[in-house]
Amino acid sequence: EKRIHHQLRESLLQAGEDSKSSDWAPVAVGHRDGLFYIQTNRDAKNFRLVTAPVADPAPGNWKEFIPHRPDVSAAGAHIDLY
């Protein structure tokens, strides 16, 4: 999981995204079939799960996988991708 998070962070930096200088955080849950599965609080106070292509995981390429719900926190959710 650390390797995946590092790969995601490096890819976001290359895309010009630096979450450390903003108020959101991507948390790589995993990757499968060319997609990152990312838990994030960007535009989602209680977190949401998005997918992004490994080749270009910039936020503009994110697709909603599990949407944000204001009444339910998804922080720390476990997703089994295998």
Side-chain angles (χ1 to χ4, degrees), residues 14-72:
Q14 288 175 4
E17 295 287 334
D18 184 7
S19 62
K20 285 192 174 196
S21 66
S22 61
D23 61 353
W24 64 275
V27 178
V29 174
H31 80 319
R32 182 177 183 164
D33 299 328
L35 292 175
F36 280 121
Y37 288 78
I38 305 166
Q39 186 180 51
T40 182
N41 64 341
R42 183 178 187 155
D43 302 325
K45 178 181 143 189
N46 287 332
F47 289 85
R48 63 189 174 128
L49 191 67
V50 298
T51 62
V54 170
D56 187 4
N61 296 324
W62 290 3
K63 296 207 182 319
E64 202 80 41
F65 190 72
I66 299 176
H68 172 255
R69 288 182 47 192
D71 57 332
V72 177

